[in-house]
Amino acid sequence: MASLTTDAIICAVRHHGEHGAIARGMTADHGLIAGYVRGGRSRAMRPVLMPGNLVRAEFRARTADQLASLTVELAHSRAPLLAEPLPAAAIDWTCALTAAALPEGTPYPALHEALGGVLGAVEAAPAARGWAAALVRYELLLLAELGFGLDLTRCAATGDADDLAYVSPRSAAAVSRAGAVGYAHLLLPLPAFLIEGGAGDWPQIMDGMRLTGFFLERSVLTERRADVLAARERLVDRLKRAVA
């Protein structure tokens, strides 16, 4: 990558040196890319380099192994949402998950599209229920794209595709009510909206968050658990308050 100009969703930013910052952006064709922004900690750049913002980014590097220099121009700001606790928590977690889970330089076009969809839903929906189900589906998609997908097509115990109500924490496969007799208490609830579509009600959405959270913690965020999962815990806590 000598030079690349593309749209990018800012997913993570950290300070580098006295005035600079390293930003990681999710792109459609090149996946997650990191770059050094000169003056990235300045008053002018801080509102641009915020997770969730869409920027026009130009990456320049002499070699493939070199950290690229990055210049950005704001294309669409979601900064106003960061003043609202629940949308801010959703953006913080979704972007942090993306930055922590994905390897750099690997294209994930479905995840890029889904990430933009989730952030757009957070921005447009009048209430959290309008985007919470989309967030659960994004987490499921990320698990699948990284090779840890759940099999929700048929019961692992009976082979049937009907009345699926649980997921085995050991096999990540669905289990029907009939197949779960005697050990349902050992399984994770499978919310109906993940099978039937739609938004789901709040109990189903919270079941979905517990389901994806279990597999993300077990399979994806094992080395960065404390930092990244703290963002998810804040989101879940605020969702619980919102529906209480």
Side-chain angles (χ1 to χ4, degrees):
M1 179 187 67
S3 176
L4 172 67
T5 301
T6 182
D7 291 336
I9 300 169
I10 298 295
C11 289
V13 181
R14 64 179 176 88
H15 295 169
H16 186 80
E18 186 174 355
H19 303 291
I22 295 176
R24 303 177 75 198
M26 183 65 169
T27 69
D29 297 326
H30 301 273
L32 201 65
I33 307 178
Y36 172 74
V37 182
R38 186 182 298 274
R41 297 171 61 182
S42 68
R43 182 177 299 179
M45 290 305 302
R46 283 199 301 269
V48 177
L49 295 178
M50 284 189 169
N53 280 356
L54 179 66
V55 299
R56 189 65 176 171
E58 182 178 4
F59 298 88
R60 290 182 176 274
R62 294 180 180 178
T63 68
D65 297 329
Q66 181 187 39
L67 176 67
S69 64
L70 171 60
T71 57
V72 296
E73 180 181 345
L74 183 64
H76 180 71
S77 174
R78 294 188 172 98
L81 292 173
L82 301 182
E84 303 177 35
L86 193 47
I91 292 172
D92 185 29
W93 159 246
T94 310
C95 292
L97 170 64
T98 304
L102 300 185
E104 290 185 7
T106 301
Y108 291 98
L111 279 176
H112 175 269
E113 182 177 0
L115 175 61
V118 171
L119 295 174
V122 172
E123 188 173 21
R129 190 178 168 193
W131 51 257
L135 176 54
V136 174
R137 290 192 177 96
Y138 179 74
E139 293 177 341
L140 279 178
L141 177 62
L142 185 141
L143 283 164
E145 290 283 300
L146 293 178
F148 303 108
L150 280 60
D151 182 359
L152 306 181
T153 58
R154 59 187 63 253
C155 175
T158 67
D160 296 332
D162 299 325
D163 202 22
L164 302 176
Y166 302 96
V167 175
S168 167
R170 299 182 69 179
S171 67
V175 181
S176 68
R177 295 184 196 279
V181 171
Y183 64 100
H185 63 289
L186 301 176
L187 304 176
L188 299 164
L190 172 59
F193 77 91
L194 292 180
I195 301 294
E196 301 169 358
D201 58 24
W202 274 117
Q204 291 179 354
I205 289 170
M206 297 311 296
D207 280 344
M209 293 291 289
R210 282 189 287 272
L211 177 66
T212 52
F214 174 85
F215 290 103
L216 285 170
E217 184 172 355
R218 186 183 76 174
S219 302
V220 176
L221 299 175
T222 55
E223 297 179 358
R224 304 182 183 184
R225 182 172 301 176
D227 292 343
V228 182
L229 286 178
R232 194 175 201 275
E233 290 169 3
R234 287 193 295 272
L235 171 60
V236 172
D237 182 63
R238 288 174 182 176
L239 284 172
K240 288 178 179 177
R241 293 181 190 179
V243 303

